[in-house]
Amino acid sequence: MTGQPLVVAIDGTSGVGKSTVARRLALVLDVPYLETGAMYRALGLKVDQMGVDPANRETVEALASDLDLVLRRNPDGTVEVLLDGRRLGEEARQPRISEITSSISTYPGVRRVMVAHQRSFAESAGAVVEGRDIGTKVFPDTPHKFFLQAPLATRVRRRLQQLEESGRSNLSADELMREVSERDERDSTRAESPLTVNSSYRIVDTGSRSIEEVVQVILEEIRQLLPSG
Ligand code: DC
């Protein structure tokens, strides 16, 4: 054993199943699960609450530096994002906040703040960390990197189901398809830490496998690299 905490990076586009897979992996591996998208969404919500123009980079970056953001680990291993001392609610998942979040997460000053939080959190206890740049920028040295992918139509169908389950399905499938592909495009083409994959990742297709199968594939890979496996 190297003594290093176990850090597993799960990257991929929206709706690809990252959260579900990462949460289950964390349970099995007995480490916390960190959903970094929620941290960027907390800032998106704050920008909205303060009436700040998301295009105003300087003001948004200043807001990020002063953000009262806490990652609280619960005894069951889940991690809550607290904004101004309060749990981030469902409001942060609304399409309007998704849009704002996707634009403000392109700013270097925003990413610096979030990455610092993520590193200090996972460096102590290890974690399954889910996002867009985890294996490329946040933890480039971890050997456990997985890039999840699935066709756009599958991802949109899943997102729609999620929204319906939480009673927020005010978008049609076409509108959602447009929103998701715009967001994919922005997340993948931005200058700062774009969503990219390289040869250090294991690519896992989630469109053709059940969640349980995806989790098993990833666990097998991780165990092969662990000293006992
Ligand atoms: O995973 P999500 O859909 O909740 O993420 C919301 C937005 O945050 C997404 O448009 C891209 C951004 N994000 C990011 O830039 N880097 C991360 N590590 C996680 C999310």
Side-chain angles (χ1 to χ4, degrees), residues 162-176:
Q162 266 177 5
L163 288 170
E164 275 169 10
E165 279 167 11
S166 59
R168 292 173 292 115
S169 58
N170 52 352
L171 284 184
S172 71
D174 281 352
E175 286 168 324
L176 197 61

Side-chain angles (χ1 to χ4, degrees), residues 14-227:
S14 41
V16 77
K18 297 189 302 284
S19 305
T20 315
V21 168
R23 194 173 293 119
R24 295 217 193 166
L25 281 172
L27 262 179
V28 178
L29 296 167
D30 196 23
V31 290
Y33 155 56
L34 185 57
E35 183 199 356
T36 62
M39 301 167 67
Y40 289 92
R41 284 176 186 275
L43 179 63
L45 191 61
K46 188 76 184 178
V47 164
D48 194 45
Q49 286 169 351
M50 302 287 287
V52 167
D53 178 0
N56 187 336
R57 174 177 157 179
E58 258 181 45
T59 311
V60 172
E61 288 186 335
L63 211 53
S65 303
D66 288 342
L67 199 66
D68 178 2
L69 186 77
V70 171
L71 301 175
R72 183 173 69 189
R73 186 178 178 186
N74 294 322
D76 67 356
T78 56
V79 179
E80 278 170 345
V81 174
L82 306 184
L83 172 66
D84 296 325
R86 300 208 338 251
R87 275 177 62 182
L88 200 64
E90 275 299 309
E91 59 201 315
R93 303 209 164 269
Q94 284 169 11
R96 170 187 168 74
I97 303 300
S98 302
E99 274 299 294
I100 297 176
T101 306
S102 180
S103 16
I104 54 135
S105 61
T106 60
Y107 300 143
V110 166
R111 306 206 69 84
R112 255 196 310 279
V113 169
M114 298 302 172
V115 169
H117 271 296
Q118 291 156 20
R119 287 191 179 136
S120 72
F121 179 85
E123 275 164 7
S124 57
V128 175
V129 190
E130 175 229 310
R132 304 288 192 291
D133 59 339
I134 309 307
T136 52
K137 292 279 170 167
V138 188
F139 295 103
D141 294 335
T142 179
H144 311 291
K145 300 184 194 180
F146 300 90
F147 193 90
L148 307 194
Q149 59 184 28
L152 177 64
T154 310
R155 296 188 287 119
V156 167
R157 186 165 32 77
R158 287 179 181 158
R159 202 53 139 188
L160 208 54
Q161 202 177 336
Q162 266 177 5
L163 288 170
E164 275 169 10
E165 279 167 11
S166 59
R168 292 173 292 115
S169 58
N170 52 352
L171 284 184
S172 71
D174 281 352
E175 286 168 324
L176 197 61
M177 172 90 73
R178 200 166 45 245
E179 188 212 290
V180 172
S181 47
E182 275 172 19
R183 211 142 66 84
D184 281 357
E185 172 75 8
R186 194 179 308 128
D187 294 343
S188 311
T189 56
R190 65 186 180 209
E192 189 70 24
S193 307
L195 171 69
T196 44
V197 60
N198 59 41
S199 60
S200 65
Y201 281 88
R202 160 81 196 260
I203 296 176
V204 183
D205 186 88
T206 66
S208 59
R209 293 182 170 99
S210 69
I211 292 293
E212 221 27 72
E213 285 167 341
V214 173
V215 170
Q216 284 313 316
V217 166
I218 295 179
L219 279 175
E220 255 168 53
E221 290 269 327
I222 293 173
R223 286 180 175 143
Q224 275 175 20
L225 294 178
L226 291 178

